Every structure is written in structure tokens, then in C-alpha cells.
Amino acid sequence: GGEELREALSQLPALKALDLGSNMFADAGAKALAPLFRKTTQLVALNFSQNSVGLLQLASLTLNGNSIEALGMKVLNIGDNQLKAEGMKHLAAELPKELGALNVARNKLGDEGLAELVKVLPTIQGLTTLHVGSNECSDAALKEFAEALPGLPGLQARASRASRACGLHAHLMHC
């Protein structure tokens, strides 16, 4: 489980990308992995999606001595977990300005969680990819989210190249 994986990965301090998605670690597995992120100082891409992990364990992964911001994380995929609004509040405070891709889809963020993300979006100028779908958000929250998007030049450039019917619009419609 998580402890064995932590031991193996701890032998790779120069690790830059780590894909631990779809392992169903749950909270116990995430807790076992958390100390790894104190030692890994060069990690710039992390996929921890589809692991049924809640707020406390996601926080222990991301806020464990080496914050996402301190690591200079460029790609963060924590979609399909149990982040919820409170988790998004903690995560939003850690998102680096140079983050290029963020997936927080299917995390039950609700209106409050989406609002926390909206607060920090203007500070993440490197963002080119953003997934927020299926988060149980109201039309009002989606409108506020959509109004924040023009302040992200990298995201706008990418969206303008994509199909207007399928690109970013599709992610908004599925929140």
C-alpha cells in the first residue's frame, strides 16, 4: 500500500512527475504517502486523481513542509476526490502563480469551493488548462467563475484556439 510506495519513491528525490491516479488510496494511503512530499523537492507534476481522498489527507499531501507553491508545481491533478469547499479553501492558498494546469473536477466543491478558486484565479497567470466540471455548482456560481476567466491570458489564448462549442464552455456547463 501507501507505506511501501512511499519507501520506494523516497529513493527518487529528483522525481519531477508522479502519476498516482486511480489507485483508490483513500485517506489511510494518502496519510502514508504524505512524508514523501517533505523529501521530494523537484516535483513539478502530480496526478493524484480518483483516490477517494478527503480534505485532511489532501492537505497533508500538499501542505506537508513542501507546499505546492514552494515546490513550484506546474501540473496538479486532484480531480475526483473529496476535496469539497473547505479543501478548496486550503488548496487555493497554496496554488503557485506559475501553475500551468489544474484539475479539481468532481470534488464536490459546490458554490463555496468554486468561489475560493475564483478568488485566486487572477494570481495564477501561467494557467493554460483548468478542469472544474461536475462540482455541484449553481448557475450563479458558474456566472461568477466565467466572469473571472478573462483575467487569465494563458487560458484565454488556449480557449480561443479551441472549438467554442466544446472547449472551455463544456467545462463550465458540466460544473
Side-chain angles (χ1 to χ4, degrees), residues 30-44:
K31 185 176 182 179
L33 285 170
L36 169 68
F37 294 93
R38 285 190 206 118
K39 297 176 185 175
T40 306
T41 59
Q42 297 184 31
L43 191 65
V44 294

Side-chain angles (χ1 to χ4, degrees), residues 33 39 67 102 110 118-119 137 142 144 156 158 172:
L33 285 170
K39 297 176 185 175
S67 69
L102 175 64
V118 166
K119 287 179 194 175
C137 302
L142 291 175
E144 184 179 330
Q156 289 303 317
R158 183 168 180 178
L172 289 173

Side-chain angles (χ1 to χ4, degrees), residues 19-65:
D19 183 348
L20 293 173
S22 302
N23 282 295
M24 301 307 286
F25 281 112
D27 286 346
K31 185 176 182 179
L33 285 170
L36 169 68
F37 294 93
R38 285 190 206 118
K39 297 176 185 175
T40 306
T41 59
Q42 297 184 31
L43 191 65
V44 294
L46 174 62
N47 177 9
F48 204 77
S49 65
Q50 297 180 326
N51 279 302
S52 297
V53 175
L55 160 65
L56 294 176
Q57 298 317 322
L58 277 173
S60 73
L61 284 174
T62 60
L63 307 174
N64 214 356

Side-chain angles (χ1 to χ4, degrees), residues 50-135:
Q50 297 180 326
N51 279 302
S52 297
V53 175
L55 160 65
L56 294 176
Q57 298 317 322
L58 277 173
S60 73
L61 284 174
T62 60
L63 307 174
N64 214 356
N66 285 332
S67 69
I68 293 169
E69 186 166 18
L71 288 171
M73 188 76 62
K74 303 283 188 212
V75 178
L76 180 61
N77 180 355
I78 54 172
D80 208 0
N81 280 292
Q82 301 294 319
L83 193 57
K84 300 183 182 172
E86 189 65 23
M88 189 68 239
K89 182 177 182 178
H90 290 284
L91 180 65
E94 290 290 316
L95 294 174
K97 292 165 184 49
E98 64 275 359
L99 187 68
L102 175 64
N103 181 352
V104 292
R106 297 173 306 281
N107 265 296
K108 300 180 181 178
L109 298 181
D111 292 357
E112 283 184 60
L114 191 59
E116 292 296 334
L117 181 58
V118 166
K119 287 179 194 175
V120 299
L121 280 178
T123 67
I124 310 172
Q125 292 299 308
L127 200 61
T128 59
T129 305
L130 177 60
H131 298 277
V132 298
S134 301
N135 271 305

